[in-house]
Amino acid sequence: QKREVRRAFASSVAPEVLAEVLANPETLALGGSSREVTLFFTDLAGFTGLAEHSSPRDLVAFLNDYFTRMCEPILAEHGVIDKFLGDSIMAIFGAPLASGDHPLRAVRAALAARHISEAIHAELIAEGRPGIETRIGIHTGTAVVGNMGSAKRFDYTAIGDVVNLASRREGANKASGTTTLVSDEVWRRCRDRVLGRRIGRVAVKGRAEPIIVHEPIAWLDHASPSQRRLAAAHEAALGAHDRGDRDGARTAFRTILEHHPNDALAQLWHERLERTDGDGVFRLDAK
């Protein structure tokens, strides 16, 4: 039984997590249990362009290196690498070992992964190849987690709406011009440790009501003065919009762009406020 557990988890969890799982392998029998977990999804933007300029051998080498480096912060925070989906990663925090801080661990892993992605992008540009960008979505909720499959072939995974919602947060980055988005539930449980900003509402396909999302910017203790000013200015601009002061919000976002001209989110908000029919909801037509 321990050999089977080691086979299933050796490459998907940190060594210290594997040691604890091996101590109680009976908890991983075929089937699942309902528990609170945090789901973590990544997607690799720019991969198609990179593939067009790479040989199959070089592309496989790139992906292997990319996955190895991107998985390091996930494993360091005791996340489980559930699976690779093409150029994407699905990970679970809070299972198989329960932890009360799994939302915070997922966000901390995301911040570290973003720095790794930026380094990989710089390396590609230096080599004269198209760059990439990693988008991340995180959501906390209840899921059925455990070994799913047949008696002879199974995988440890999570099933439930939390999985879909985490994936939607990742996809919502396309609409808001961001790289990392987390749900209200995640943000509520990590906002005292992480500097971030409220994005607003994002309408996604298959959901009647827009979802609320937030962007983590930096670990609070390591946030730069510039990042702190950006977060404060962004919240002030959104506050003006919430009060119905469109002119004040538009002016505030224009001021942000004067100091942060590459801020795609501020640019999108400004463009929406320039339109008389803009309602401040970011719409994502695809899943």
Side-chain angles (χ1 to χ4, degrees):
Q1 187 180 34
K2 288 187 175 182
R3 281 197 301 269
E4 284 300 305
V5 171
R6 186 180 295 277
R7 177 196 61 79
F9 283 90
S11 62
S12 61
V13 300
E16 60 269 26
V17 175
L18 179 59
E20 292 193 43
V21 172
L22 286 171
N24 297 285
E26 64 278 359
T27 62
L28 297 172
L30 190 63
S33 60
S34 180
R35 63 195 299 178
E36 185 190 68
V37 293
T38 296
L39 268 292
F40 178 109
F41 274 90
T42 76
D43 185 53
L44 186 56
F47 180 71
T48 300
L50 180 63
E52 292 174 350
H53 293 80
S54 305
S55 68
R57 183 186 297 274
D58 289 342
L59 195 61
V60 169
F62 167 80
L63 274 179
N64 287 338
D65 176 67
Y66 172 82
F67 284 141
T68 298
R69 294 163 70 177
M70 290 295 291
C71 286
E72 287 177 357
I74 298 173
L75 298 177
E77 294 297 338
H78 293 178
V80 175
I81 306 300
D82 184 296
K83 58 178 65 74
F84 299 111
L85 304 163
D87 57 16
S88 304
I89 302 169
M90 172 181 168
I92 306 169
F93 291 80
L97 301 181
S99 65
D101 62 348
H102 51 86
L104 182 64
R105 286 181 174 275
V107 172
R108 192 157 50 199
L111 292 173
R114 191 168 66 195
H115 287 304
I116 292 171
S117 176
E118 290 169 355
I120 294 173
H121 170 81
E123 291 167 9
L124 289 170
I125 295 301
E127 295 170 2
R129 304 167 71 186
I132 56 91
E133 181 178 74
T134 301
R135 298 178 179 137
I136 301 172
I138 303 172
H139 180 56
T140 294
T142 301
V144 176
V145 294
N147 285 318
M148 313 288 180
S150 69
K152 293 185 177 180
R153 179 68 176 91
F154 55 84
D155 290 305
Y156 189 84
T157 191
I159 296 176
D161 199 41
V162 60
V163 180
N164 181 51
L165 289 173
S167 177
R168 295 298 178 87
R169 262 71 180 184
E170 180 277 308
N173 283 293
K174 302 174 186 177
S176 58
T178 53
T179 58
T180 305
L181 291 178
V182 306
S183 65
D184 253 352
E185 177 63 19
V186 172
W187 187 247
R188 181 181 66 82
R189 293 166 64 171
C190 72
R191 63 189 176 189
D192 292 338
R193 306 286 298 278
V194 179
L195 177 71
R197 55 180 174 174
R198 180 167 52 103
I199 301 304
R201 297 178 298 156
V202 178
V204 296
K205 187 176 181 180
R207 291 277 162 180
E209 295 295 325
I211 59 177
I212 305 299
V213 291
H214 304 261
E215 179 191 29
I217 296 175
W219 196 243
L220 193 57
D221 293 341
H222 301 151
S224 68
S226 176
Q227 289 173 324
R228 292 174 184 271
R229 288 192 296 269
L230 172 61
H234 183 89
E235 186 56 37
L238 278 190
H241 176 268
D242 293 343
R243 296 190 301 271
D245 183 5
R246 293 177 61 90
D247 290 339
R250 183 168 56 249
T251 299
F253 279 115
R254 185 165 57 244
T255 301
I256 291 174
L257 289 170
E258 291 173 358
H259 297 281
H260 303 273
N262 296 322
D263 189 336
L265 178 60
Q267 182 64 46
L268 287 170
W269 264 108
H270 187 264
E271 291 173 356
R272 280 159 172 72
L273 291 168
E274 284 287 313
R275 300 199 302 264
T276 57
D277 61 340
D279 59 1
V281 177
F282 297 96
R283 288 178 168 78
L284 184 65
D285 296 327
K287 291 184 179 181

